[in-house]
Amino acid sequence: MKLSDFARETIKNHAKGVARMLMIHMLAVALGWAAFPLILMIFARFTTTDVPMAVFSVVATIVYAAMLVVQGNSYGLQDRLPYGWARYKAKGFVIGGAAGTVVYLFELLMIAIADRNFTVNHPQFAISNINNYIRMILAVPFFWFYRVVGGVAIIPRVTALTALFVIPFCALCTGIGYVAGQAGVEIDPVMRKRRKNGS
């Protein structure tokens, strides 16, 4: 069955949106881990790593949310123009939710890898923290969240249930940005300044 040009452009447009949101997630992951060596160097003598990491990850989450909102807003503004693909109010929520679902599936893979290869059962010895580090790789922008729900471990444990957090987070931030863009509200101050200067 051959797809119409409209259907093909709609699929392509949604796929590009999901790819952009995934790239933003990877930037947030890089930001989340960027301060880890510095935190170890500065705070290791005074406190365990979970406290400064939780504080820093709040900043990473805020930056992540802002990037998602701005990108969603860009898509909303773009969809005000007469391009040949589907546009609907929930589009930002759908794109963000789809990207969050892809991240969640990769997180499940990380959990499976951690459980298969990084668990030691020994009466006097456990390396559960290494297991928790592997689980945290993709979830680090939300370290603070896992610290709140994850108990007393220095590196909180990400579970299949708590890893779901990324889906509503991505959907909500991207959706809000998209709805604002469709309403003609331009959130990105850099783009606004460029437009004003005519460049």
Side-chain angles (χ1 to χ4, degrees), residues 5-195:
D5 287 347
F6 180 79
R8 199 164 37 248
E9 286 303 313
T10 296
I11 291 167
K12 204 186 297 181
N13 177 256
H14 280 69
K16 277 184 186 173
V18 171
R20 285 244 174 99
M21 299 311 151
L22 289 174
M23 187 183 75
I24 288 171
H25 182 80
M26 294 319 293
L27 288 172
V29 168
L31 176 64
W33 284 112
F36 191 69
L38 193 63
I39 285 167
L40 279 180
M41 253 179 0
I42 296 172
F43 297 104
R45 284 170 289 177
F46 309 109
T47 182
T48 52
T49 54
D50 57 326
V51 177
M53 273 296 282
V55 173
F56 178 76
S57 70
V58 170
V59 176
T61 301
I62 291 167
V63 171
Y64 183 18
M67 289 192 295
L68 288 173
V69 169
V70 167
Q71 190 62 56
N73 183 248
S74 170
Y75 273 108
L77 290 167
Q78 185 184 55
D79 276 6
R80 286 170 61 84
L81 302 171
Y83 291 121
W85 57 64
R87 46 184 63 78
Y88 49 95
K89 289 282 184 203
K91 187 173 178 181
F93 297 99
V94 169
I95 289 173
T101 301
V102 172
V103 172
Y104 175 70
L105 293 174
F106 276 108
E107 186 57 48
L108 290 182
L109 179 65
M110 299 308 293
I111 291 169
I113 289 168
D115 287 349
R116 183 174 173 84
N117 300 305
F118 295 94
T119 302
V120 170
N121 296 314
H122 189 275
Q124 289 90 30
F125 181 64
I127 58 165
S128 61
N129 261 357
I130 294 175
N131 183 294
N132 288 358
Y133 269 113
I134 302 299
R135 287 165 171 255
M136 185 59 68
I137 288 173
L138 293 175
V140 73
F142 308 119
F143 189 99
W144 61 270
F145 171 76
Y146 294 108
R147 189 75 195 87
V148 170
V149 300
V152 294
I154 291 173
I155 301 300
R157 192 165 184 79
V158 181
T159 66
L161 182 63
T162 58
L164 283 167
F165 181 73
V166 71
I167 298 174
F169 179 84
C170 287
L172 189 64
C173 294
T174 308
I176 288 169
Y178 183 85
V179 169
Q182 266 212 325
V185 178
E186 193 168 353
I187 293 171
D188 188 353
V190 176
M191 285 301 288
R192 207 179 312 136
K193 196 174 176 185
R194 274 190 200 153
R195 231 178 280 264

